[in-house]
Amino acid sequence: MTAAVSCPHCAASNPLDAAFCESCGKALPSVAPAGPRVVTAESAPATSAARAMIEDDLRKQMKKASTALLIVAVLQAAFGPVALMVMKAKAEKDAGPGAVMEIEPISYVIVFGLAIAFFGLWLWSRVNPFAAAIVGLVLFVSVHLLDAVADPAQLARGILVKIIVIVMLVQAIKAGLQHRKLREEQTRAGMAVV
Amino acid sequence: MGEGGVGQEQPPADGAAEATVEARRFCGACGTPRELNALLCRTCADRAAAAVSIANPAISFSSEGAPIASALALYFVFLAGSMIGIIILLSTEDDRLGAPVDLWISVINAVIVLAWTARSWHDTSPGLRRTGGLIWYPLAAVGAIFTFLIASGVVAFVGLITNLPEVRYSDYLLEAGYGWIGVILLVCVQPAIIEELAFRGVILSGMARVMAVGDAIIVSAMMFMIIHLSALSFPHLLLIGLVLGWMRVHTGSLYPGMVLHFVHNGLVVWEEAFGGRWLPW
């Protein structure tokens, strides 16, 4: 095997793909940038250590679902009533001066019911982030689309938070799929080794 | 096995100056001192040994994620259809538009669902090919009586504590001249077939490919519940969705669920036709 890399410390020759000098153990100038570790499905998780590493990363991504759902639940509980007040003020303005509009109790039920639903999804996500993320995404987008039909201006309010929540949920879903695929391969590999 | 297994050695090449076997004291991959006569340290040797492994295609929504993406896409397109109907009705004062809009949206959503069924034929067709045991059909009809009673109870309770107007499905269709046949087709037949194809066919089967069947039943039931966009109906919609999902899995067929769905909606229409005299509330 022809040596290609010369160690800057001890001048010994090393193979092209060596990261450390085989003579003195010091690091060789590397070609690949030492950046943050990016885990993709292309990196073959062949050893149990590598697999655990990737599973860890995936679990962290799946946990994003829990965070997103909790954010939604808290915001819904906190700002839901505010949104009702805004709608009440708008309706009173439309109705004319001196008008007083009632907020139906059922509106509060729906607003807080939704907050409770997202809290429930948050709890579920701690056990099953994949399924909870899917339902959370469906509920979140459906509710906000329906809101937008009733009051298009509402869509723009807090649009950044809404986008972040959606992105987190989608990432959690993708991570869940990867996690499952990893598990499947583990089982298959385990079965292949007799 | 890849190169660099413990105990193997690379013979020095002729005529090239390189670290001799004796001088190779450190692992080239991680710099830790290595065992004598080994090219790599043990950890790196393990990793290198796994160099030949199954090629992993990147996870994308075009491969492993396809069932999820397809299910979510169907859900949102179906939702969009319903929302377009809502927007049209909200933007006009003409009450008579209710029936034709309902008809058109039903037709469009039916076409959408049929297209998705064709697209995911591999997942959906087993439910259509099997019929399940014969006993399931009378069971489904009887089950529908229970789901109807629960739904009526929830609706009556909501009516008690709010002053929301009662939702009636047949009046505006009859006023538009569609007749009872039209009512049955739009309120009973279309939802039974199309919603079962969508939620228990495409969505449940697709989800079951990437999660446990129990989870798939729950997720599809929740999506079924949410698409109706009626928060006050969520309790019985979820219950019915779970029952229908369980039936699809247990019988292997979509047809018993279609029967339950049809009878349930049929009882709603029956009650509207003949009044609530026979119900305790």
Side-chain angles (χ1 to χ4, degrees):
Chain A
M1 190 168 74
T2 18
V5 181
S6 168
C7 173
H9 308 285
C10 69
S13 297
N14 286 281
L16 247 177
D17 55 353
F20 293 83
C21 174
E22 285 167 354
S23 280
C24 67
K26 298 209 172 88
L28 293 170
S30 64
V31 179
R37 183 186 67 206
V38 174
V39 179
T40 65
E42 279 103 358
S43 47
T47 64
S48 56
R51 224 185 332 261
M53 192 176 88
I54 292 179
E55 272 202 35
D56 242 4
D57 262 0
L58 289 175
R59 256 185 237 122
K60 270 190 214 130
Q61 287 199 46
M62 278 165 35
K63 274 215 171 69
K64 283 189 194 167
S66 298
T67 312
L69 291 167
L70 188 61
I71 290 173
V72 173
V74 168
L75 288 179
Q76 176 70 24
F79 289 108
V82 172
L84 284 179
M85 302 294 173
V86 167
M87 276 180 359
K88 170 175 140 86
K90 184 168 181 289
E92 282 169 356
K93 198 174 90 153
D94 287 343
V100 177
M101 307 292 265
E102 282 268 355
I103 297 181
E104 295 270 332
I106 200 69
S107 306
Y108 287 112
V109 171
I110 293 179
V111 160
F112 286 115
L114 274 175
I116 291 172
F118 279 106
F119 269 121
L121 285 172
W122 171 66
L123 285 172
W124 191 21
S125 74
R126 290 153 71 85
V127 175
N128 191 341
F130 187 42
I134 293 173
V135 177
L137 182 68
V138 165
L139 183 61
F140 186 75
V141 176
S142 303
V143 163
H144 284 279
L145 279 180
L146 194 60
D147 268 349
V149 166
D151 179 13
Q154 257 231 31
L155 203 62
R157 253 174 253 137
I159 187 81
L160 194 62
V161 177
K162 289 175 186 164
I163 291 176
I164 290 174
V165 165
I166 290 175
V167 166
M168 284 171 88
L169 289 173
V170 170
Q171 278 184 336
I173 294 171
K174 282 187 149 178
L177 284 168
Q178 242 172 313
H179 189 252
R180 185 177 183 275
K181 186 176 156 76
L182 204 63
R183 276 274 140 93
E184 264 188 359
E185 277 176 5
Q186 209 172 347
T187 318
R188 253 188 280 142
M191 289 189 324
V193 174
V194 175
Chain B
M1 280 283 271
E3 55 179 21
V6 173
Q8 288 175 358
E9 240 178 67
Q10 292 273 353
D14 295 332
E18 62 182 90
T20 57
V21 172
E22 300 79 42
R24 267 195 232 121
R25 294 192 296 274
F26 296 88
C27 172
C30 66
T32 56
R34 63 165 177 81
E35 293 165 334
L36 281 174
N37 303 323
L39 193 65
L40 297 171
C41 66
R42 191 168 287 250
T43 319
C44 298
D46 283 345
R47 288 203 189 128
V52 178
S53 62
I54 310 158
N56 290 324
I59 294 287
S60 68
F61 275 124
S62 65
S63 55
E64 274 69 25
I68 304 271
S70 181
L72 287 173
L74 171 58
Y75 174 89
F76 285 115
V77 173
F78 196 102
L79 181 68
S82 308
M83 302 211 92
I84 289 172
I86 294 173
I87 292 172
I88 294 175
L89 289 174
L90 279 179
S91 64
T92 174
E93 307 263 310
D94 190 353
D95 274 345
R96 292 171 306 163
L97 273 185
V101 166
D102 190 5
L103 172 63
W104 274 109
I105 299 299
S106 298
V107 168
I108 291 170
N109 274 345
V111 169
I112 289 168
V113 170
L114 290 172
W116 246 266
T117 304
R119 233 184 115 215
S120 65
W121 190 244
H122 180 78
D123 280 338
T124 322
S125 60
L128 289 169
R129 273 198 274 267
R130 297 189 213 115
T131 53
L134 213 55
I135 187 70
W136 283 102
Y137 294 87
L139 272 178
V142 168
I145 297 177
F146 284 103
T147 59
F148 168 72
L149 288 174
I150 293 171
S152 296
V154 171
V155 167
F157 174 73
V158 167
L160 265 176
I161 62 171
T162 73
N163 49 5
L164 287 170
E166 186 196 342
V167 174
R168 292 178 62 86
Y169 296 95
S170 43
D171 294 349
Y172 68 98
L173 293 172
L174 291 170
E175 278 161 29
Y178 287 24
W180 285 108
I181 306 262
V183 170
I184 290 173
L185 283 173
L186 277 175
V187 178
C188 305
V189 176
Q190 192 266 11
I193 297 179
I194 296 302
E195 285 176 17
E196 290 314 300
L197 273 178
F199 291 92
R200 260 61 63 181
V202 177
I203 291 176
L204 175 53
S205 310
M207 294 285 167
R209 276 222 265 147
V210 291
M211 61 177 78
V213 168
D215 291 335
I217 293 176
I218 295 173
V219 170
S220 69
M222 288 189 167
M223 289 172 75
F224 172 75
M225 170 186 88
I226 297 169
I227 196 102
H228 284 78
L229 297 175
S230 166
L232 300 168
S233 306
F234 276 7
H236 54 268
L237 283 172
L238 181 61
L239 174 70
I240 295 172
L242 291 170
V243 169
L244 290 168
W246 179 84
M247 279 179 75
R248 161 65 183 89
V249 169
H250 201 79
T251 66
S253 167
L254 285 168
Y255 300 114
M258 289 185 189
V259 167
L260 194 158
H261 204 149
F262 174 83
V263 174
H264 176 103
N265 288 15
L267 286 170
V268 171
V269 168
W270 178 303
E271 200 247 327
E272 285 182 13
F274 296 105
R277 285 178 295 271
W278 57 288
L279 282 169
W281 38 77

